[in-house]
Amino acid sequence: MAKKIKWGIVGLGRIAKLFADDLTLVQRAELVAVASTDRERAKVFAAQYGVPNHYDSYDALFKDGEVDVVYVATFHHTHAAVSIAAMDQKKHVLCEKPIAITAKEAKEMIRASKRNKVFFMEAFWSRFNPSIAKVKELVAAGALGKVRYINAEFTFYKLDDDPNARSLNIALAGGSLLDMGVYPIFLSYLLLGKPREIMAKSKFFHTGAEIQTSMIFDYGEAQALLYSGFANNTDMKAKICGEEGELFIHPIWHETQGFTLVRHGKKKKYELPTLGKGFSHEIMEVNQCVENRKQESDFWSHKNSLELITIVDAVREKAGIHFPFKR
């Protein structure tokens, strides 16, 4: 029987709990350590998931010889520093999206992976969703003919959140773009690559946090209309339209369980359920890469993450989204 890959988690918020739930579904993965700057939170999390080791500092977990891979689920603006610290301790790293605040930070993270000869990947779990993978395959095979239009949204109403909490606090890199907007951008990038031209406009909260961003990406013969927001809810569908058909990704599209292909008026429904919530698929990819001693994934590479955050940087610049720290 193959040896289990042993995982540690730093940053123990909501996403970390969902990730830990899915990690239990992956046979060759084992959660052996968790860390939080809040000692009690680490203790409670460890007890809930039967984790043998818990720490009140990230560095302590990075020095745990039992841990093979660290899942970084801390605040966005700490992703680079925390991931690099883990890699400098020779830990493989899966870092929650967005990879970093800027492309400059992302480059530093990739350099750390290469310098330490460890695996590193941005945790863009939607890339490994069975439905999204099939959508990419069908589009690449010409199922829609030439793609002309993509429309994707990701929203949750959050204006009643605590303004000092992460979502609406620019000191914590708050705002809808890094939280949610990266998903529509990801879909457009996955299917069409880097846009030739980017147009973007944002609305802002009284804290200075961006709460609505509309984007138009121009690809020459194709366009993408994308949106993220904290000021309203939407049905969160996504669609890809080509000269010969349309493809509708069922909501919530970034964690979808299927999609519908319409070609020449005929509908075909695909049902491709995830294992658990869906984090399991990226966990299995990391396990396989680590076992094969790879430093990056063929399906979501260092280049992919760097190009995506470069697009996000351009959107921020166009829309006037700024944070009170320099990167």
Side-chain angles (χ1 to χ4, degrees):
M1 184 175 179
K3 175 178 173 285
K4 284 192 175 183
I5 302 295
K6 296 181 179 181
W7 287 74
I9 299 177
V10 296
L12 304 179
R14 184 182 68 86
I15 296 298
K17 291 178 181 178
L18 296 173
F19 186 90
D21 287 336
D22 270 15
L23 197 142
T24 65
L25 304 176
V26 180
Q27 289 185 350
R28 291 186 294 107
E30 180 182 3
L31 182 57
V32 298
V34 296
S36 170
T37 53
D38 182 329
R39 182 188 295 272
E40 186 62 24
R41 172 175 283 193
K43 181 181 178 181
V44 170
F45 195 105
Q48 180 179 352
Y49 289 95
V51 181
N53 298 309
H54 64 275
Y55 303 101
D56 61 2
S57 81
Y58 303 155
D59 285 340
L61 185 145
F62 300 156
K63 293 175 181 176
D64 185 332
E66 288 294 302
V67 175
D68 299 313
V69 186
V70 176
Y71 172 57
V72 175
T74 57
F75 289 146
H76 300 332
H77 68 296
T78 68
H79 284 179
V82 173
S83 295
I84 291 169
M87 288 187 278
D88 282 345
Q89 291 292 330
K90 308 302 181 184
K91 300 302 184 188
H92 306 292
V93 169
L94 175 66
C95 178
E96 190 49 60
K97 54 94 275 316
I99 184 174
I101 300 301
T102 65
K104 181 181 177 182
E105 283 190 342
K107 289 176 182 177
E108 293 171 357
M109 297 162 86
I110 293 167
R111 281 196 291 268
S113 169
K114 294 178 179 178
R115 179 176 67 247
N116 292 292
K117 296 182 173 57
V118 293
F119 176 82
F120 171 66
M121 189 176 83
E122 179 184 18
F124 231 111
W125 66 316
S126 297
R127 176 62 184 94
F128 303 95
N129 179 297
S131 295
I132 301 296
K134 187 64 176 180
V135 166
K136 179 171 174 58
E137 177 188 320
L138 289 171
V139 170
L144 303 178
K146 183 181 291 185
V147 174
R148 290 289 192 172
Y149 175 66
I150 292 175
N151 174 227
E153 303 172 338
F154 191 179
T155 65
F156 278 113
Y157 184 80
K158 290 194 174 188
L159 298 190
D160 53 2
D161 280 9
D162 178 354
N164 294 313
R166 181 181 60 82
S167 296
L168 299 173
N169 187 342
I170 57 172
L172 300 178
S176 81
L177 180 65
L178 293 184
D179 224 30
M180 300 174 176
V182 291
Y183 284 100
I185 294 172
F186 153 80
L187 185 64
S188 184
Y189 168 74
L190 182 70
L191 300 178
L192 293 176
K194 296 172 68 175
R196 294 184 183 182
E197 184 181 0
I198 293 172
M199 291 156 273
K201 187 73 174 178
S202 293
K203 300 294 183 184
F204 297 86
F205 200 52
H206 66 77
T207 62
E210 161 269 327
I211 54 171
Q212 289 180 270
T213 295
S214 296
M215 298 161 271
I216 298 175
F217 290 180
D218 188 85
Y219 290 92
E221 292 187 307
Q223 291 182 325
L225 181 59
L226 315 171
Y227 175 77
S228 67
F230 288 162
N232 60 281
N233 290 312
T234 65
D235 55 14
M236 288 194 280
K237 296 176 182 176
K239 60 185 176 184
I240 303 103
C241 304
E243 293 181 354
E244 299 175 22
E246 301 83 43
L247 193 152
F248 301 90
I249 306 177
H250 303 160
I252 300 174
W253 75 262
H254 75 283
E255 56 183 75
T256 190
Q257 306 296 298
F259 60 91
T260 299
L261 174 65
V262 181
R263 183 177 169 86
H264 304 307
K266 295 182 179 179
K267 292 185 179 181
K268 182 177 180 179
K269 189 173 182 179
Y270 290 77
E271 295 184 359
L272 297 165
T274 58
L275 175 64
K277 184 74 171 175
F279 296 96
S280 53
H281 303 286
E282 68 179 359
I283 294 169
M284 288 186 279
E285 172 66 8
V286 174
N287 279 3
Q288 186 172 348
C289 288
V290 169
E291 288 170 347
N292 292 327
R293 300 186 178 183
K294 299 175 70 170
Q295 291 181 27
E296 60 183 309
S297 167
D298 294 332
F299 296 96
W300 192 247
S301 67
H302 294 169
K303 180 183 177 183
N304 293 146
S305 289
L306 185 55
E307 289 184 343
L308 184 68
I309 196 64
T310 299
I311 296 169
V312 175
D313 280 354
V315 170
R316 286 180 54 212
E317 182 65 27
K318 296 280 185 180
I321 301 169
H322 302 292
F323 299 121
F325 39 77
K326 296 290 184 181
R327 298 294 183 190

